[in-house]
Coordinates of all heavy atoms in Angstrom, one line a residue:
M1 N -22.4 16.2 -9.1 CA -21.2 16.3 -8.3 C -21.3 17.2 -7.2 O -21.9 18.4 -7.3 CB -19.9 16.8 -9.2 CG -18.7 16.7 -8.4 SD -17.3 17.2 -9.6 CE -17.3 16.0 -10.8
A2 N -21.0 16.8 -5.8 CA -21.2 17.8 -4.8 C -19.8 18.3 -4.3 O -18.9 17.6 -4.5 CB -21.7 16.9 -3.6
A3 N -19.8 19.7 -4.2 CA -18.5 20.3 -3.9 C -18.8 21.4 -2.8 O -19.8 21.9 -2.7 CB -18.0 21.0 -5.1
R4 N -17.7 21.5 -2.0 CA -17.7 22.5 -1.0 C -16.3 23.3 -1.0 O -15.4 22.7 -1.1 CB -18.0 21.9 0.4 CG -17.6 22.8 1.6 CD -18.9 22.9 2.4 NE -18.7 24.0 3.5 CZ -18.7 23.8 4.8 NH1 -18.9 22.5 5.2 NH2 -18.4 24.8 5.5
E5 N -16.4 24.6 -0.9 CA -15.1 25.4 -0.8 C -15.1 26.0 0.5 O -16.1 26.5 1.2 CB -15.1 26.4 -1.8 CG -14.8 25.9 -3.2 CD -14.6 27.1 -4.2 OE1 -14.0 28.1 -3.8 OE2 -14.9 27.0 -5.4
L6 N -13.9 26.1 1.1 CA -13.8 26.8 2.5 C -12.4 27.3 2.5 O -11.4 26.8 1.8 CB -14.1 25.8 3.7 CG -13.1 24.6 3.8 CD1 -12.9 24.4 5.1 CD2 -13.9 23.4 3.1
V7 N -12.0 28.3 3.4 CA -10.7 28.8 3.6 C -10.3 28.4 5.1 O -11.1 28.7 5.9 CB -10.8 30.4 3.4 CG1 -9.4 31.0 3.8 CG2 -11.2 30.7 2.0
V8 N -9.1 27.8 5.2 CA -8.6 27.4 6.5 C -7.2 27.9 6.5 O -6.6 28.4 5.7 CB -8.8 25.9 6.6 CG1 -10.0 25.4 6.5 CG2 -7.8 25.2 5.5
R9 N -6.8 27.9 7.9 CA -5.4 28.5 8.2 C -4.4 27.4 7.6 O -4.7 26.0 7.7 CB -5.2 28.5 9.7 CG -5.9 29.8 10.2 CD -5.9 29.8 11.7 NE -6.5 28.5 12.3 CZ -6.4 28.1 13.4 NH1 -5.5 28.6 14.2 NH2 -7.0 27.1 13.8
G10 N -3.1 27.7 7.3 CA -2.1 26.9 7.0 C -1.7 26.9 5.5 O -2.6 27.4 4.6
A11 N -0.7 26.4 5.2 CA -0.2 26.3 3.8 C -0.9 25.1 3.0 O -1.4 24.2 3.7 CB 1.3 26.0 3.8
P12 N -1.1 25.3 1.8 CA -1.8 24.3 1.0 C -1.4 22.7 1.3 O -2.0 21.9 1.5 CB -1.6 24.5 -0.4 CG -1.4 26.1 -0.4 CD -0.7 26.3 0.9
E13 N 0.0 22.6 1.3 CA 0.6 21.2 1.6 C 0.1 20.7 2.9 O -0.1 19.5 3.1 CB 2.2 21.4 1.4 CG 2.6 21.8 0.1 CD 2.8 23.3 0.1 OE1 2.6 24.0 1.0 OE2 2.8 23.8 -1.1
E14 N 0.1 21.5 3.9 CA -0.3 21.2 5.3 C -1.8 20.9 5.3 O -2.1 19.8 5.9 CB 0.1 22.3 6.2 CG -0.4 22.1 7.7 CD -0.3 23.4 8.5 OE1 0.3 24.3 8.2 OE2 -0.9 23.3 9.6
V15 N -2.6 21.6 4.6 CA -3.9 21.4 4.7 C -4.3 20.1 4.0 O -5.1 19.4 4.5 CB -4.8 22.6 4.0 CG1 -6.2 22.3 3.9 CG2 -4.4 23.8 4.9
V16 N -3.6 19.7 2.9 CA -3.9 18.6 2.1 C -3.6 17.2 3.1 O -4.1 16.3 3.1 CB -3.2 18.5 0.9 CG1 -3.3 17.1 0.2 CG2 -3.9 19.4 -0.2
Y17 N -2.4 17.5 3.8 CA -1.9 16.6 4.6 C -3.0 16.3 5.8 O -3.3 15.2 6.2 CB -0.6 16.8 5.3 CG -0.1 15.9 6.4 CD1 0.4 14.7 5.9 CD2 -0.1 16.2 7.7 CE1 0.8 13.7 6.9 CE2 0.5 15.3 8.7 CZ 0.9 14.1 8.3 OH 1.3 13.1 9.2
R18 N -3.5 17.4 6.4 CA -4.5 17.2 7.4 C -5.8 16.6 6.9 O -6.5 15.8 7.5 CB -4.8 18.6 8.0 CG -3.7 19.2 8.7 CD -3.9 20.6 9.3 NE -5.1 21.4 8.9 CZ -5.1 22.5 8.9 NH1 -4.1 23.3 9.0 NH2 -6.4 23.2 8.6
A19 N -6.2 16.8 5.6 CA -7.3 16.3 4.9 C -7.0 14.8 4.9 O -7.9 14.0 5.1 CB -7.6 16.9 3.7
A20 N -5.8 14.4 4.4 CA -5.5 12.9 4.3 C -5.7 12.1 5.6 O -6.3 11.1 5.7 CB -4.2 12.7 3.7
L21 N -5.1 12.9 6.7 CA -5.3 12.2 8.0 C -6.7 12.1 8.5 O -7.2 11.1 8.9 CB -4.6 13.1 9.2 CG -3.0 13.1 9.0 CD1 -2.5 14.0 10.0 CD2 -2.4 11.7 9.2
A22 N -7.5 13.1 8.2 CA -9.0 13.0 8.6 C -9.7 12.1 7.7 O -10.5 11.3 8.3 CB -9.5 14.4 8.4
L23 N -9.4 11.9 6.6 CA -10.1 11.0 5.6 C -9.7 9.5 6.0 O -10.5 8.6 6.1 CB -9.7 11.2 4.2 CG -10.5 12.4 3.5 CD1 -9.8 12.7 2.2 CD2 -12.0 12.0 3.4
R24 N -8.5 9.3 6.5 CA -8.1 8.0 7.0 C -8.8 7.7 8.2 O -9.2 6.6 8.5 CB -6.5 7.9 7.0 CG -6.0 8.0 5.7 CD -4.5 7.5 5.6 NE -4.4 6.2 6.1 CZ -3.3 5.6 6.6 NH1 -2.2 6.3 6.5 NH2 -3.3 4.3 7.0
R25 N -9.0 8.5 9.2 CA -9.7 8.4 10.3 C -11.2 8.1 10.0 O -11.8 7.3 10.9 CB -9.6 9.6 11.2 CG -8.4 9.6 12.1 CD -8.5 10.7 13.2 NE -9.0 11.9 12.8 CZ -8.1 12.9 12.3 NH1 -6.8 12.6 12.2 NH2 -8.5 14.0 12.0
L26 N -11.8 8.5 9.0 CA -13.1 8.3 8.5 C -13.2 6.9 7.8 O -14.3 6.6 7.4 CB -13.6 9.4 7.6 CG -13.9 10.7 8.5 CD1 -14.0 11.8 7.4 CD2 -14.9 10.6 9.4
G27 N -12.1 6.3 7.5 CA -12.1 5.0 7.0 C -11.7 5.0 5.4 O -11.9 3.9 4.8
A28 N -11.3 6.0 4.9 CA -11.2 6.2 3.5 C -9.7 5.7 3.2 O -8.8 5.7 4.1 CB -11.3 7.6 3.0
R29 N -9.4 5.3 2.0 CA -8.0 4.9 1.5 C -7.5 6.0 0.6 O -8.2 6.3 -0.5 CB -8.3 3.5 0.8 CG -6.9 3.0 0.4 CD -7.1 1.5 -0.2 NE -8.2 1.5 -1.2 CZ -8.1 1.4 -2.5 NH1 -7.1 1.7 -3.0 NH2 -9.3 1.2 -3.2
I30 N -6.4 6.6 0.8 CA -5.8 7.6 -0.2 C -5.1 6.9 -1.4 O -4.4 5.9 -1.2 CB -4.7 8.4 0.7 CG1 -5.2 8.8 1.9 CG2 -4.2 9.4 -0.3 CD1 -6.5 9.7 1.8
V31 N -5.8 7.2 -2.5 CA -5.4 6.6 -3.8 C -4.5 7.4 -4.6 O -3.6 6.9 -5.5 CB -6.4 6.0 -4.7 CG1 -7.3 4.9 -3.8 CG2 -7.4 7.1 -5.0
R32 N -4.4 8.8 -4.4 CA -3.5 9.6 -5.0 C -3.3 10.9 -4.0 O -4.1 11.4 -3.5 CB -4.1 10.2 -6.3 CG -3.2 11.0 -7.2 CD -3.9 11.5 -8.5 NE -5.0 12.5 -8.1 CZ -4.8 13.7 -7.7 NH1 -3.6 14.2 -7.4 NH2 -6.0 14.4 -7.5
Y33 N -1.9 11.1 -4.0 CA -1.5 12.2 -3.0 C -0.4 13.0 -3.8 O 0.6 12.4 -4.1 CB -0.9 11.6 -1.8 CG -0.8 12.6 -0.7 CD1 -1.7 12.9 0.2 CD2 0.5 13.2 -0.7 CE1 -1.5 13.9 1.3 CE2 0.8 14.2 0.3 CZ -0.3 14.5 1.3 OH 0.0 15.4 2.3
D34 N -0.8 14.1 -4.2 CA 0.2 15.0 -5.0 C 0.7 16.2 -4.2 O -0.2 17.2 -4.2 CB -0.4 15.4 -6.2 CG 0.6 16.0 -7.3 OD1 1.5 16.7 -6.8 OD2 0.5 15.8 -8.5
T35 N 1.8 16.1 -3.6 CA 2.3 17.4 -2.8 C 2.5 18.6 -3.7 O 2.3 19.6 -3.3 CB 3.4 17.1 -2.0 OG1 4.6 16.5 -2.8 CG2 3.2 16.0 -1.0
G36 N 3.1 18.4 -4.8 CA 3.3 19.4 -5.8 C 2.0 20.2 -6.2 O 2.2 21.5 -6.4
E37 N 1.0 19.6 -6.4 CA -0.3 20.2 -6.7 C -1.2 20.4 -5.6 O -2.4 20.9 -5.8 CB -1.0 19.3 -7.9 CG -0.3 19.3 -9.2 CD -1.2 18.8 -10.3 OE1 -2.4 18.9 -10.1 OE2 -0.7 18.5 -11.2
A38 N -0.7 19.9 -4.5 CA -1.5 20.1 -3.2 C -3.0 19.6 -3.4 O -4.0 20.2 -3.3 CB -1.6 21.6 -2.7
S39 N -3.0 18.3 -3.8 CA -4.3 17.5 -4.0 C -4.2 16.2 -3.6 O -3.1 15.6 -3.5 CB -4.7 17.7 -5.4 OG -3.9 17.1 -6.2
L40 N -5.4 15.6 -3.5 CA -5.4 14.2 -3.2 C -6.8 13.6 -3.7 O -7.7 14.3 -3.8 CB -5.2 13.9 -1.6 CG -6.3 14.3 -0.7 CD1 -7.5 13.3 -0.6 CD2 -5.7 14.4 0.8
E41 N -6.8 12.4 -3.8 CA -8.0 11.5 -4.0 C -8.0 10.4 -3.1 O -7.1 9.8 -2.9 CB -8.0 11.1 -5.5 CG -9.2 10.5 -6.0 CD -9.2 10.1 -7.6 OE1 -9.0 11.1 -8.3 OE2 -9.4 9.0 -7.8
A42 N -9.3 10.1 -2.6 CA -9.5 9.0 -1.7 C -10.7 8.2 -2.0 O -11.7 8.7 -2.6 CB -9.7 9.5 -0.3
R43 N -10.7 6.9 -1.7 CA -11.8 6.1 -1.9 C -12.3 5.6 -0.5 O -11.5 5.4 0.4 CB -11.5 4.8 -2.7 CG -11.2 5.3 -4.1 CD -11.3 4.0 -5.1 NE -11.1 4.4 -6.3 CZ -12.0 4.9 -7.3 NH1 -13.3 5.1 -6.9 NH2 -11.7 5.3 -8.5
A44 N -13.6 5.6 -0.4 CA -14.2 5.2 0.9 C -13.9 3.7 1.4 O -13.8 3.0 0.4 CB -15.7 5.4 0.9
G45 N -13.8 3.5 2.6 CA -13.5 2.2 3.3 C -14.9 1.6 3.4 O -15.9 2.2 3.0
R46 N -15.0 0.6 4.1 CA -16.3 -0.1 4.6 C -17.2 0.7 5.2 O -18.5 0.5 5.1 CB -15.9 -1.3 5.3 CG -15.2 -2.4 4.4 CD -14.9 -3.7 5.3 NE -14.3 -3.4 6.5 CZ -13.5 -4.3 7.1 NH1 -13.4 -5.4 6.5 NH2 -12.9 -4.0 8.1
R47 N -16.7 1.7 5.9 CA -17.7 2.4 6.8 C -18.4 3.5 6.1 O -19.3 4.1 6.5 CB -17.0 3.0 8.0 CG -16.4 2.0 9.0 CD -15.8 2.8 10.2 NE -15.1 3.9 9.8 CZ -14.2 4.4 10.6 NH1 -14.1 3.9 11.9 NH2 -13.5 5.4 10.3
L48 N -18.0 3.8 4.9 CA -18.5 5.0 4.1 C -18.9 4.3 2.7 O -18.6 3.3 2.3 CB -17.4 6.0 3.9 CG -16.7 6.7 5.1 CD1 -15.6 7.5 4.7 CD2 -17.7 7.4 5.9
L49 N -19.7 5.2 2.1 CA -20.1 4.8 0.7 C -19.0 4.6 -0.3 O -17.9 5.4 -0.1 CB -21.1 5.8 0.1 CG -22.3 6.1 0.9 CD1 -23.1 7.3 0.2 CD2 -23.3 4.9 0.8
P50 N -19.0 3.6 -1.1 CA -17.9 3.4 -1.9 C -17.8 4.4 -3.2 O -18.0 4.2 -4.3 CB -18.1 2.0 -2.5 CG -19.6 1.8 -2.5 CD -20.1 2.7 -1.3
Q51 N -17.4 5.7 -2.9 CA -17.2 6.6 -3.8 C -15.9 7.4 -3.7 O -15.2 7.0 -2.9 CB -18.4 7.7 -3.6 CG -19.8 7.2 -3.9 CD -19.9 6.6 -5.2 OE1 -19.5 7.1 -6.2 NE2 -20.6 5.5 -5.4
V52 N -15.7 8.4 -4.5 CA -14.4 9.1 -4.4 C -14.5 10.5 -3.8 O -15.5 11.1 -4.1 CB -13.8 9.3 -5.9 CG1 -12.6 10.1 -6.0 CG2 -13.7 7.8 -6.6
V53 N -13.5 10.9 -3.1 CA -13.5 12.3 -2.5 C -12.2 12.9 -3.1 O -11.1 12.3 -3.1 CB -13.3 12.2 -1.0 CG1 -13.2 13.6 -0.5 CG2 -14.6 11.5 -0.4
R54 N -12.3 14.0 -3.6 CA -11.1 14.8 -4.1 C -11.0 16.1 -3.2 O -11.9 16.8 -3.0 CB -11.3 15.1 -5.5 CG -11.2 13.9 -6.5 CD -11.6 14.4 -7.9 NE -11.9 13.2 -8.7 CZ -13.0 12.7 -8.8 NH1 -14.0 13.2 -8.2 NH2 -13.2 11.6 -9.5
V55 N -9.7 16.3 -2.9 CA -9.4 17.6 -2.2 C -8.3 18.3 -3.0 O -7.3 17.7 -3.3 CB -8.8 17.2 -0.8 CG1 -8.4 18.6 0.0 CG2 -9.9 16.5 0.0
R56 N -8.5 19.6 -3.0 CA -7.6 20.4 -3.8 C -7.4 21.7 -2.9 O -8.3 22.3 -2.3 CB -8.1 20.9 -5.3 CG -8.1 19.9 -6.2 CD -8.6 20.4 -7.6 NE -9.6 21.4 -7.7 CZ -10.9 21.1 -7.7 NH1 -11.4 19.9 -7.9 NH2 -11.7 22.2 -7.6
A57 N -6.1 22.2 -2.8 CA -5.8 23.3 -2.0 C -5.1 24.3 -2.7 O -4.0 24.0 -3.4 CB -5.2 22.9 -0.8
R58 N -5.3 25.7 -2.6 CA -4.6 26.7 -3.2 C -4.4 28.0 -2.1 O -5.3 28.1 -1.4 CB -5.4 27.3 -4.5 CG -5.8 26.2 -5.6 CD -4.5 25.9 -6.3 NE -4.9 24.9 -7.3 CZ -4.5 23.6 -7.1 NH1 -3.9 23.2 -5.9 NH2 -4.7 22.8 -8.0
P59 N -3.3 28.4 -2.3 CA -3.0 29.7 -1.3 C -4.3 30.7 -1.5 O -4.7 30.9 -2.6 CB -1.7 30.2 -1.8 CG -1.1 29.2 -2.7 CD -2.2 28.4 -3.2
E60 N -4.5 31.3 -0.3 CA -5.6 32.3 -0.2 C -5.2 33.4 0.7 O -5.3 33.4 1.9 CB -6.9 31.7 0.2 CG -8.0 32.7 0.4 CD -8.7 33.0 -1.0 OE1 -8.5 32.2 -1.9 OE2 -9.4 34.1 -1.0
G61 N -4.4 34.3 0.3 CA -3.8 35.4 1.0 C -2.6 34.9 1.8 O -2.0 33.8 1.5
E62 N -2.3 35.5 2.8 CA -1.3 35.2 3.7 C -1.7 34.2 4.9 O -2.6 34.5 5.5 CB -0.7 36.5 4.4 CG 0.7 36.2 5.0 CD 1.3 37.6 5.3 OE1 1.2 38.5 4.5 OE2 1.9 37.6 6.5
A63 N -1.0 33.0 4.9 CA -1.3 32.0 6.0 C -2.6 31.4 6.0 O -3.1 31.0 6.9 CB -1.0 32.6 7.3
A64 N -3.3 31.4 4.8 CA -4.5 30.8 4.5 C -4.6 30.0 3.2 O -3.8 30.3 2.3 CB -5.7 31.8 4.5
T65 N -5.5 29.0 3.2 CA -5.6 28.1 2.0 C -7.1 28.0 1.6 O -8.0 27.8 2.5 CB -4.9 26.8 2.3 OG1 -3.6 27.0 2.4 CG2 -5.2 25.8 1.2
R66 N -7.4 28.0 0.3 CA -8.7 27.7 0.0 C -8.7 26.3 -0.4 O -7.9 25.9 -1.3 CB -9.0 28.6 -1.4 CG -10.4 28.2 -1.7 CD -10.9 29.3 -2.9 NE -11.1 30.6 -2.3 CZ -12.1 30.9 -1.8 NH1 -13.2 30.2 -1.5 NH2 -12.2 32.3 -1.2
V67 N -9.7 25.5 0.1 CA -9.9 24.1 -0.2 C -11.1 23.8 -0.8 O -12.1 24.4 -0.6 CB -9.9 23.3 1.3 CG1 -10.0 21.9 1.1 CG2 -8.6 23.8 2.0
V68 N -11.0 23.1 -2.0 CA -12.1 22.6 -2.6 C -12.3 21.0 -2.3 O -11.4 20.3 -2.7 CB -12.0 22.8 -4.1 CG1 -13.3 22.2 -4.8 CG2 -11.9 24.2 -4.5
I69 N -13.4 20.7 -1.9 CA -13.7 19.2 -1.4 C -14.7 18.8 -2.4 O -15.9 19.5 -2.3 CB -14.1 19.0 -0.1 CG1 -13.1 19.6 0.9 CG2 -14.4 17.6 0.3 CD1 -13.6 19.7 2.4
D70 N -14.6 17.9 -3.2 CA -15.7 17.3 -4.1 C -15.8 15.9 -4.1 O -14.8 15.2 -3.9 CB -15.6 18.1 -5.5 CG -14.5 17.5 -6.3 OD1 -14.7 16.5 -7.0 OD2 -13.5 18.1 -6.5
T71 N -17.0 15.4 -4.4 CA -17.2 13.9 -4.5 C -18.1 13.7 -5.8 O -18.4 14.6 -6.4 CB -18.0 13.5 -3.2 OG1 -19.3 14.1 -3.4 CG2 -17.4 13.9 -2.1
D72 N -18.2 12.5 -6.1 CA -18.8 12.0 -7.3 C -20.4 11.9 -7.1 O -21.2 11.9 -8.0 CB -18.5 10.5 -7.7 CG -17.1 10.6 -8.2 OD1 -16.6 11.7 -8.6 OD2 -16.4 9.6 -8.5
R73 N -20.8 12.0 -5.8 CA -22.3 11.8 -5.5 C -22.7 12.8 -4.4 O -22.0 13.1 -3.6 CB -22.5 10.4 -5.1 CG -22.1 9.3 -6.0 CD -22.7 8.2 -6.1 NE -24.2 8.1 -5.7 CZ -24.7 7.0 -5.4 NH1 -24.1 6.0 -5.6 NH2 -26.1 7.1 -5.1
R74 N -24.0 13.2 -4.6 CA -24.6 14.1 -3.7 C -24.7 13.6 -2.3 O -24.8 14.2 -1.4 CB -25.9 14.8 -4.1 CG -25.6 15.6 -5.2 CD -27.0 16.1 -5.9 NE -26.7 16.5 -7.1 CZ -27.2 17.6 -7.7 NH1 -28.1 18.3 -7.1 NH2 -26.9 18.0 -9.0
D75 N -24.9 12.3 -2.1 CA -25.3 11.7 -0.9 C -24.0 11.7 -0.1 O -24.1 11.2 1.0 CB -25.8 10.4 -1.0 CG -25.1 9.4 -1.8 OD1 -24.0 9.7 -2.3 OD2 -25.5 8.3 -2.0
W76 N -23.0 12.3 -0.4 CA -21.7 12.4 0.4 C -21.7 13.8 1.1 O -20.7 14.2 1.6 CB -20.4 12.3 -0.5 CG -20.1 10.8 -0.6 CD1 -20.9 9.8 -0.8 CD2 -18.8 10.4 -0.3 NE1 -20.1 8.7 -0.8 CE2 -18.8 9.0 -0.5 CE3 -17.6 10.9 0.0 CZ2 -17.7 8.2 -0.3 CZ3 -16.5 10.2 0.1 CH2 -16.5 8.8 0.0
R77 N -22.7 14.4 1.0 CA -22.7 15.9 1.6 C -22.3 15.7 3.1 O -21.7 16.6 3.6 CB -24.0 16.6 1.5 CG -24.3 17.0 0.0 CD -25.6 17.7 -0.1 NE -26.6 16.6 0.1 CZ -27.8 16.5 -0.2 NH1 -28.3 17.7 -0.8 NH2 -28.7 15.7 -0.1
A78 N -22.8 14.7 3.9 CA -22.5 14.6 5.3 C -20.9 14.4 5.5 O -20.4 15.1 6.4 CB -23.2 13.5 5.9
L79 N -20.3 13.6 4.6 CA -18.8 13.4 4.7 C -18.1 14.7 4.4 O -17.2 15.1 5.0 CB -18.4 12.3 3.6 CG -17.0 12.1 3.6 CD1 -16.4 11.6 4.9 CD2 -16.6 11.1 2.5
V80 N -18.5 15.3 3.4 CA -17.9 16.6 3.1 C -18.0 17.7 4.2 O -17.0 18.3 4.4 CB -18.5 17.3 1.6 CG1 -18.0 18.7 1.4 CG2 -18.2 16.3 0.5
R81 N -19.2 17.7 4.8 CA -19.4 18.6 6.0 C -18.5 18.2 7.0 O -17.9 19.1 7.9 CB -20.7 18.6 6.4 CG -21.8 19.5 5.6 CD -23.1 19.7 6.3 NE -23.7 18.5 6.6 CZ -24.6 17.7 5.9 NH1 -25.0 18.3 4.8 NH2 -25.2 16.6 6.2
Q82 N -18.3 16.9 7.3 CA -17.6 16.4 8.4 C -16.1 16.7 8.1 O -15.3 17.1 9.0 CB -17.8 14.9 8.7 CG -17.1 14.3 9.8 CD -17.4 12.9 10.2 OE1 -18.2 12.3 9.3 NE2 -17.0 12.3 11.1
L83 N -15.5 16.6 7.0 CA -14.2 16.7 6.6 C -14.0 18.2 6.6 O -12.9 18.7 7.3 CB -13.9 16.2 5.2 CG -12.5 16.6 4.6 CD1 -11.4 16.0 5.6 CD2 -12.3 16.1 3.3
A84 N -14.9 19.0 6.2 CA -14.7 20.6 6.3 C -14.6 21.0 7.6 O -13.8 21.8 8.1 CB -15.8 21.2 5.6
A85 N -15.5 20.5 8.6 CA -15.5 20.8 10.0 C -14.1 20.5 10.7 O -13.7 21.2 11.4 CB -16.6 20.1 10.8
E86 N -13.6 19.3 10.4 CA -12.3 18.9 10.8 C -11.2 19.7 10.5 O -10.3 20.1 11.3 CB -12.0 17.4 10.5 CG -12.7 16.5 11.2 CD -11.9 15.1 11.5 OE1 -10.8 15.2 11.6 OE2 -12.7 14.1 11.5
L87 N -11.2 20.2 9.1 CA -10.2 21.1 8.7 C -10.3 22.5 9.2 O -9.3 23.2 9.4 CB -10.2 21.2 7.1 CG -9.8 20.0 6.5 CD1 -10.1 20.2 5.0 CD2 -8.4 19.8 6.6
E88 N -11.5 23.0 9.6 CA -11.8 24.3 10.1 C -11.5 24.4 11.5 O -11.0 25.4 12.1 CB -13.2 24.7 9.8 CG -13.5 25.0 8.4 CD -14.8 25.4 8.1 OE1 -15.9 24.8 8.8 OE2 -15.2 26.1 7.2
T89 N -11.8 23.3 12.3 CA -11.6 23.5 13.7 C -10.5 22.8 14.5 O -10.1 23.1 15.5 CB -12.9 22.9 14.3 OG1 -13.3 21.6 14.1 CG2 -14.1 23.8 13.9
A90 N -9.9 21.6 13.9 CA -8.9 21.0 14.5 C -7.7 21.6 14.7 O -7.3 22.4 13.9 CB -8.8 19.6 13.8
E91 N -7.0 21.3 15.8 CA -5.7 21.9 15.9 C -4.7 20.7 15.6 O -4.8 19.6 16.2 CB -5.6 22.3 17.4 CG -6.4 23.4 18.0 CD -6.1 24.0 19.3 OE1 -4.9 23.7 19.7 OE2 -7.0 24.5 19.9
W92 N -3.8 21.2 14.8 CA -2.9 20.2 14.3 C -1.4 20.6 14.6 O -1.1 21.7 14.6 CB -3.1 20.0 12.8 CG -4.4 19.9 12.3 CD1 -5.4 20.8 12.1 CD2 -4.9 18.6 11.9 NE1 -6.4 20.1 11.6 CE2 -6.3 18.8 11.6 CE3 -4.4 17.3 12.0 CZ2 -7.0 17.7 11.2 CZ3 -5.3 16.1 11.6 CH2 -6.6 16.6 11.3
R93 N -0.7 19.4 14.9 CA 0.8 19.7 15.0 C 1.5 18.6 14.7 O 1.1 17.4 14.7 CB 1.0 19.7 16.6 CG 0.6 21.2 17.2 CD 1.6 22.1 17.4 NE 1.1 23.4 17.5 CZ 1.9 24.4 17.5 NH1 3.1 24.2 17.3 NH2 1.5 25.6 17.7

């Protein structure tokens, strides 16, 4: 299992929503979205490997969130890096 943790700005619910948008842009299909637990699960679309991506978010201090992005396979490291980069650098409104 490949996993990456990072801390980004925003509330957990907002960060999971941003992750869902980014994954959809990458061609993934969101199969589970839980706002109460600030988590989601997505399956890759045709453009990506047919595997699962999971995102969990937890508060980390004031106005920040710790995000854990994990997948079922190591060959998804590039996707995890791309999603992490979008969450760290994108401006959302």
Side-chain angles (χ1 to χ4, degrees):
M1 189 180 294
R4 167 123 187 243
E5 286 191 35
L6 60 143
V7 176
V8 296
R9 289 175 296 162
E13 302 82 16
E14 175 191 349
V15 171
V16 169
Y17 177 71
R18 291 177 358 209
L21 292 176
L23 284 166
R24 290 195 61 195
R25 277 195 304 279
L26 293 170
R29 180 174 48 97
I30 308 303
V31 295
R32 187 182 63 74
Y33 188 94
D34 188 330
T35 56
E37 290 199 18
S39 64
L40 68 80
E41 184 173 303
R43 293 204 179 268
R46 291 187 299 213
R47 296 187 315 197
L48 303 173
L49 297 173
Q51 300 298 321
V52 176
V53 178
R54 290 177 196 85
V55 176
R56 294 183 317 267
R58 302 288 175 258
E60 178 80 14
E62 196 171 314
T65 294
R66 177 168 298 277
V67 182
V68 177
I69 305 165
D70 72 81
T71 65
D72 289 343
R73 302 206 36 192
R74 289 178 198 217
D75 55 359
W76 269 49
R77 287 178 293 198
L79 174 66
V80 170
R81 279 193 307 269
Q82 190 173 357
L83 177 57
E86 286 209 33
L87 289 176
E88 290 174 328
T89 61
E91 291 188 27
W92 304 87
R93 289 255 165 191

